[in-house]
Amino acid sequence: MTSFGDLIEKDLGSRDQLYKARFLHYQQAETNTSIREGWFYRDDDRQGVRTADDVFDIYERSVGGNSTFLLNIPPNRDGKFSQKDVDVLREVGKRIRETYSTNLLDAAIDAPKALLDNDDETFIEYTEPIVFTLPKSITLNRLMLQEAVAKRSERVEEHAVDAWINGMWQEIARATNIGYKRILRFQDVTTSRLRLRILQSRLTPAISSVGAYHYSSRPPQLSIRKDRAGKVTIVPKPQGFAWKGDADAAARLSLGCKIYYTVDGSEPTVHSQLYTVPFELDRGTVKAIAVLNGQMGPIAIEPVGLTKACWMVTAVSSEVKGNEANRVWIPISILIGAAKRR
């Protein structure tokens, strides 16, 4: 049995590397991560759990990046999945089904049938750009491509997709390999014609499937924070552990996602105050929602205490270098009370 070490070099499969090889061995890429902070269940109060936005993003980038997605879901102390984890998984499954169940190219009037028959065994050999012509315009922001890896292996090294817009071809996406599956993600495009171009390949590529889809972005979950100066900021909720965060959150905010909030404890609606910039608030309860594509996200709630800008330490009983007492925010009322007792 041949043993392979960790394959972590930046260049593992370029032509220069292949020329050096004594033989070729297919080793499937895997994307391994946990739905929780760490590989084991600890609790539901403090342990970070990935959001549905996050897991769906990883799914599209891993499965859609020619990789197998292995998601660790640790059982809790009762031997069951936590309800938090289950809710995330159900939402992710719902998004996958809603997004990828219907191929918008199925209605194409001019396209190779082998690319639209949902059969991995059928394919066409690429010799020239492949054009899909539709009877009417569609709006898409996802394009899925597959090579016939079981019959012809992985051959594509670079490819691009064009859309017919304003009477001319315009490139909407470009990437490197395809392999078993590549999901290209881009902003909404409305067109009646699409074109696939293979820019570089090893031997003649065999394309087995092409699909166009549209993902309807959800409103992001929100996080409410107040800084020492009293400014309240409402932003997409970050992950509770080391991770890149929701890659789609900033894009959604730039595509018409709006945030509404209240400070009197009432439930926020689209008629509440529109959030645009951080605002000052001495104390109260901030509630906020994000709205996108007619959908309303979950309500974020955060009690806001007194502004800490004027707090100061007047005396300490002990402190440790590197963790001085003046780094702690202590309510001034407590300090005044301590001074009176002295």
Side-chain angles (χ1 to χ4, degrees):
M1 179 177 178
T2 302
S3 176
F4 294 89
D6 288 342
L7 302 179
I8 58 176
E9 297 297 327
K10 185 176 181 179
D11 182 3
L12 294 170
S14 70
R15 292 192 182 197
D16 289 340
Q17 294 298 326
L18 293 179
Y19 291 149
K20 301 174 185 177
R22 290 181 288 110
F23 61 92
L24 294 179
H25 171 79
Y26 180 78
Q27 185 151 336
Q28 186 175 4
E30 293 183 355
T31 300
N32 306 326
T33 190
S34 178
I35 197 170
R36 286 179 166 259
E37 181 182 13
W39 291 97
F40 300 98
Y41 175 90
R42 295 200 300 273
D43 58 67
D44 277 335
D45 300 322
R46 297 178 298 277
Q47 187 177 17
V49 177
R50 295 189 187 280
T51 64
D53 289 332
D54 194 13
V55 176
F56 183 72
D57 173 58
I58 301 173
Y59 166 83
E60 288 193 310
R61 290 187 297 113
S62 58
V63 175
N66 194 30
S67 171
T68 297
F69 182 21
L70 300 180
L71 180 63
N72 174 65
I73 305 141
N76 60 23
R77 293 179 177 84
D78 296 323
K80 300 179 180 180
F81 291 150
S82 165
Q83 189 60 46
K84 284 188 175 182
D85 300 9
V86 171
D87 290 343
V88 169
L89 294 173
R90 283 178 174 164
E91 174 61 22
V92 171
K94 179 182 177 183
R95 295 187 191 189
I96 292 173
R97 290 189 297 273
E98 289 180 353
T99 304
Y100 293 103
S101 293
T102 302
N103 185 351
L104 300 177
L105 295 181
D106 283 345
I109 56 178
D110 181 17
K113 293 183 179 179
L115 303 183
L116 302 173
D117 60 4
N118 296 315
D119 187 349
D120 292 342
E121 298 295 316
T122 61
F123 61 88
I124 66 168
E125 293 190 338
Y126 178 92
T127 56
E128 61 182 3
I130 303 171
V131 177
F132 297 84
T133 302
L134 295 142
K136 60 181 181 180
S137 294
I138 61 171
T139 297
L140 68 153
N141 53 26
R142 301 289 192 274
L143 197 82
M144 185 273 292
L145 305 169
Q146 291 183 280
E147 288 185 78
V149 295
K151 298 289 187 68
R152 292 292 188 273
S153 75
E154 298 183 17
R155 298 184 176 185
V156 176
E157 296 174 316
E158 186 177 6
H159 64 285
V161 175
D162 309 317
W164 187 259
I165 302 173
N166 297 326
M168 61 187 298
W169 288 112
Q170 295 185 29
E171 185 176 297
I172 59 174
R174 178 185 290 247
T176 53
N177 70 310
I178 293 177
Y180 174 71
K181 183 173 290 186
R182 166 71 75 166
I183 296 176
L184 302 171
R185 307 190 296 182
F186 40 85
Q187 302 296 340
D188 284 7
V189 172
T190 300
T191 184
S192 61
R193 297 174 69 192
L194 289 168
R195 182 174 69 178
L196 170 64
R197 290 179 291 126
I198 306 301
L199 306 178
Q200 188 168 305
S201 66
R202 299 185 289 266
L203 299 178
T204 302
I207 308 301
S208 69
S209 182
V210 178
Y213 306 92
H214 185 269
Y215 172 63
S216 180
S217 292
R218 273 66 167 176
Q221 297 183 39
L222 299 175
S223 173
I224 302 169
R225 298 194 300 265
K226 180 180 178 180
D227 63 19
R228 189 183 179 106
K231 293 280 189 178
V232 176
T233 301
I234 308 175
V235 296
K237 185 178 181 180
Q239 293 298 327
F241 48 101
W243 171 245
K244 64 184 284 296
D246 176 16
D248 194 36
R252 283 179 289 173
L253 289 178
S254 67
L255 289 174
C257 180
K258 295 183 178 180
I259 296 174
Y260 299 91
Y261 69 94
T262 63
V263 297
D264 59 2
S266 63
E267 300 297 289
T269 69
V270 294
H271 302 294
S272 301
Q273 180 67 40
L274 176 65
Y275 175 82
T276 54
V277 295
F279 58 91
E280 292 185 357
L281 180 65
D282 186 38
R283 67 168 71 183
T285 298
V286 180
K287 294 186 178 182
I289 56 168
V291 179
L292 179 64
N293 296 329
Q295 298 183 72
M296 186 179 297
I299 298 177
I301 304 174
E302 185 66 31
V304 173
L306 292 170
T307 299
K308 302 175 177 63
C310 60
W311 296 4
M312 56 185 160
V313 175
T314 59
V316 298
S317 60
S318 64
E319 60 184 357
V320 178
K321 185 176 181 181
N323 290 286
E324 290 77 8
N326 60 12
R327 300 178 63 181
V328 180
W329 292 347
I330 302 175
I332 194 167
S333 58
I334 295 177
L335 298 175
I336 292 174
K340 287 181 178 178
R341 286 194 295 273
R342 288 196 297 270

